[in-house]
Amino acid sequence: MTAIERFTGDAHPYGGGDPYADYRTAVFPFTHLADLADRRLGAGVIAANDEFFAQRENLLLPGRAEFDPERFGHKGKIMDGWETRRRRGACADHPWPADGDHDWALIRLGAPGVVRGIVVDTAHFRGNHPQAVSVEGTSVAGSPSPGELLSDDVQWTTLVPRAPVGGHAANGFAVAAGRRFTHLRLKQHPDGGIARLRVYGEVVPDPAWLAALGTFDVVALENGGRVEDASDRFYSPAAHTIRPGRPHRMDDGWETRRRRDRGHDWIRYRLVAQARIRALEIDTAYLKGNSAGWASVSVKDGDEAGWREILPRTRLQPDTAHRFVLPRPAVGTHARVDVFPDGGISRLRLFGSLTERGAAALAARHQEPGG
């Protein structure tokens, strides 16, 4: 574990105005990866020992935490995060919490995978944030209950050893455990509040599940696809194009700035493994006056191979799902969508199945300690 940026101690009390004006954060090297704890992937906070002031489910809400200084309830200040009551000692002679006292929450990752970094965000928790946090991970097949996860049979691996954190700050930690996890246990020592938890890493899907499906979206985030690079991320991230489901509004896709030259924009993807693509979909949902004018799709098989066009430059309509059946399957490990001249798409779907080589590579990654 390496602390990317050390934030410790209390933040100043809120003095009015913009509540994020004195928020402490940093540029973390892992945040370009998928958030494995994204609710939109199916993640959930399935249990917590205490949530007296604020519900555990707030930890995984999309977007940054909000703060309303005038919002109070019958238990006190209503906070946008997970907040526990104040711990006390055993008796009047020892009123302070013991060194090992802590509160915990169990998180089911939306997509199992290799964790590369964690951000424990204490936004708006100033004098009421934890003194320290720690995070553990485990890999359990199926859908275990909280009781099963907390049993003595489950082995937990430390991802973030107990480390001090700051209030009203994004506390980032690099993780070097290098293996696949399905669940996390977040601890705050001894008590307090955490606004958001983000778990960045690489999705490693279950090969048996994908084999049973046969044909599936080989570039989808939930199946292990990822964005490697993009020409432009001005309005929204390129990774939105491989999120689950259809978008719900315009910024739930990828949109570039307006070009004033003779070039074009593009996104490059890595598929879950070598796959045989049979059909594809380019969706421009909610992109109306700003959708891409034309698009083409290419694939390549291996890092050093050349690109082969599988969908020639094709006119796109605004706010429309465009579906194409390929005249013959295309085998590849990477894909690229080019849009002309600029604009946006909301989703790219590449439907196919793994080749024997691709299935073997995914099975090895799923079984090895590093995957």
Side-chain angles (χ1 to χ4, degrees):
M1 182 279 300
T2 301
I4 304 299
E5 185 76 34
R6 183 71 64 169
F7 300 117
T8 56
D10 294 346
H12 295 299
Y14 176 63
D18 180 4
Y20 273 100
D22 59 345
Y23 177 67
R24 293 172 289 172
T25 188
V27 176
F28 303 119
F30 43 72
T31 54
H32 66 285
L33 299 172
D35 180 5
L36 305 180
D38 193 328
R39 277 291 297 167
R40 291 162 292 198
L41 287 175
V45 186
I46 61 176
N49 71 307
D50 185 291
E51 47 186 329
F52 185 85
F53 286 112
Q55 296 174 334
R56 64 183 192 260
E57 287 86 358
N58 291 336
L59 279 172
L60 306 186
L61 289 176
R64 66 182 189 173
E66 298 179 356
F67 181 73
D68 182 350
E70 303 300 325
R71 191 178 181 205
F72 287 83
H74 63 278
K75 290 184 178 180
K77 182 73 186 72
I78 296 176
M79 297 294 290
D80 185 7
W82 169 50
E83 185 180 5
T84 65
R85 72 193 79 200
R86 298 186 188 218
R87 283 184 169 269
R88 300 298 187 221
C91 62
D93 291 336
H94 298 281
W96 308 280
D99 184 63
D101 285 351
H102 66 273
D103 292 317
W104 55 264
L106 290 178
I107 294 95
R108 179 192 65 243
L109 297 179
V114 178
V115 179
R116 303 298 186 187
I118 293 175
V119 174
V120 179
D121 189 346
T122 58
H124 315 305
F125 290 96
R126 296 169 184 263
N128 52 349
H129 62 283
Q131 181 183 38
V133 299
S134 59
V135 184
E136 300 165 297
T138 190
S139 184
V140 179
S143 304
S145 68
E148 290 170 328
L149 288 169
L150 295 173
S151 72
D152 294 336
D153 297 331
V154 173
Q155 299 295 315
W156 291 87
T157 299
T158 298
L159 306 185
V160 178
R162 181 170 173 170
V165 294
H168 196 46
N171 301 275
F173 303 92
V175 175
R179 52 174 293 238
R180 181 181 186 267
F181 295 101
T182 61
H183 295 77
L184 302 186
R185 180 163 58 189
L186 169 66
K187 295 180 180 179
Q188 50 177 334
H189 309 266
D191 55 36
I194 298 170
R196 297 289 189 268
L197 177 72
R198 304 302 188 214
V199 183
Y200 296 101
E202 298 149 6
V203 176
V204 182
D206 182 352
W209 173 252
L210 297 185
L213 293 178
T215 297
F216 60 94
D217 183 357
V218 298
V219 76
L221 178 60
E222 61 193 309
N223 294 331
R226 65 180 187 268
V227 169
E228 287 193 328
D229 201 2
S231 61
D232 187 287
R233 299 176 177 87
F234 189 83
Y235 286 112
S236 47
H240 285 184
T241 60
I242 53 175
R243 277 180 171 176
R246 296 200 74 206
H248 299 290
R249 60 186 199 181
M250 188 179 72
D251 64 349
D252 190 14
W254 173 63
E255 182 189 354
T256 72
R257 75 190 80 197
R258 300 187 188 212
R259 276 191 170 268
R260 304 305 187 191
D261 57 21
R262 306 297 289 181
H264 72 281
D265 290 311
W266 50 267
I267 308 174
R268 187 177 74 243
Y269 305 86
R270 178 178 288 273
L271 311 185
V272 56
Q274 188 189 62
R276 187 172 288 107
I277 302 166
R278 299 182 179 86
L280 61 90
E281 177 179 284
I282 301 174
D283 195 349
T284 58
Y286 291 95
L287 294 162
K288 298 181 179 180
N290 50 356
S291 66
W294 291 262
S296 64
V297 178
S298 304
V299 300
K300 68 175 182 176
D301 191 18
D303 290 326
E304 305 304 320
W307 292 101
R308 309 183 318 276
E309 192 174 70
I310 62 173
L311 179 73
R313 193 179 304 188
T314 300
R315 187 74 167 95
L316 299 182
Q317 299 301 320
D319 196 28
T320 300
H322 308 78
R323 293 174 176 171
F324 308 93
V325 176
L326 301 182
R328 62 188 64 82
V331 174
T333 56
H334 297 71
R336 192 185 72 219
V337 60
D338 294 273
V339 299
F340 303 88
D342 56 23
I345 63 172
S346 57
R347 294 291 187 271
L348 174 71
R349 305 298 189 203
L350 302 177
F351 298 102
S353 56
L354 298 183
T355 63
E356 288 187 9
R357 193 180 91 189
L362 179 59
R365 188 175 178 217
H366 185 267
Q367 294 168 4
E368 291 173 357

